[in-house]
Amino acid sequence: NNRVRYLRHNSYNTKSNKFRKIRTPGGRLTVQYTPKKAKGVTNQDCGGCQGSLAGIPKMRPSEFRRLAHTQRSVSRPYGGTACHRCVKDRIVRAFLIEEVKLMKMLMTQKDAKSSKKDKKKKKKK
């Protein structure tokens, strides 16, 4: 006979009322309530990846709130909100955008110099 009774007040098979059947040392079959599994911190606003963030413990929100701030995040820019790949992509993208701006500025300066030289040559003729 492997039937058991709920020990708590809630008598319905809900998400918060899950248990395992355990045989006690005295030979009695009883229930052992299992805590909810934690999903961990995910990075929705990260970039495109939808995995969980590395370096941050997977805990229920109440347990997570009790942690020290250093244990809740990772010590780098966007640590705890974006993964390392997305941070790297963001840094590289920002660098490339700055490089394009610099190249455009240099090209406009070069064009301005060449147009001044052309004007001077035309005046001499």
Side-chain angles (χ1 to χ4, degrees):
N1 187 6
N2 62 353
R3 287 198 222 168
V4 291
R5 285 175 54 199
Y6 285 115
L7 300 175
R8 295 181 182 164
H9 184 71
N10 187 0
S11 61
Y12 298 101
N13 186 20
T14 59
K15 284 196 296 184
S16 62
N17 207 26
K18 296 299 179 190
F19 64 89
R20 292 185 329 203
K21 293 175 187 172
I22 299 293
R23 190 163 298 280
T24 60
R28 200 163 57 94
L29 194 66
T30 184
V31 297
Q32 189 177 59
Y33 286 94
T34 58
K36 285 185 175 182
K37 290 246 189 319
K39 291 179 184 169
V41 181
T42 57
N43 45 350
Q44 287 95 6
D45 64 319
C46 182
C49 39
Q50 291 295 317
S52 60
L53 292 172
I56 297 175
K58 291 185 175 184
M59 294 180 161
R60 298 290 298 166
S62 56
E63 294 169 351
F64 192 74
R65 242 179 276 121
R66 282 187 227 124
L67 284 179
H69 181 70
T70 52
Q71 293 175 322
R72 272 187 251 161
S73 65
V74 184
S75 58
R76 67 162 179 265
Y78 301 100
T81 57
C83 67
H84 66 281
R85 280 178 254 102
C86 294
V87 172
K88 181 183 171 186
D89 291 344
R90 198 174 279 192
I91 291 168
V92 169
R93 192 181 313 122
F95 174 75
L96 291 174
I97 289 169
E98 287 298 316
E99 285 291 309
V100 167
K101 285 180 186 175
L102 186 67
M103 289 303 295
K104 281 183 181 176
M105 192 173 72
L106 289 173
M107 292 300 284
T108 53
Q109 287 176 355
K110 189 177 177 183
D111 289 342
K113 282 183 181 179
S114 64
S115 64
K116 282 182 182 178
K117 286 181 182 178
D118 291 342
K119 286 179 182 178
K120 285 181 181 178
K121 285 182 183 177
K122 287 181 182 178
K123 284 183 181 181
K124 286 182 180 178
K125 287 183 181 180

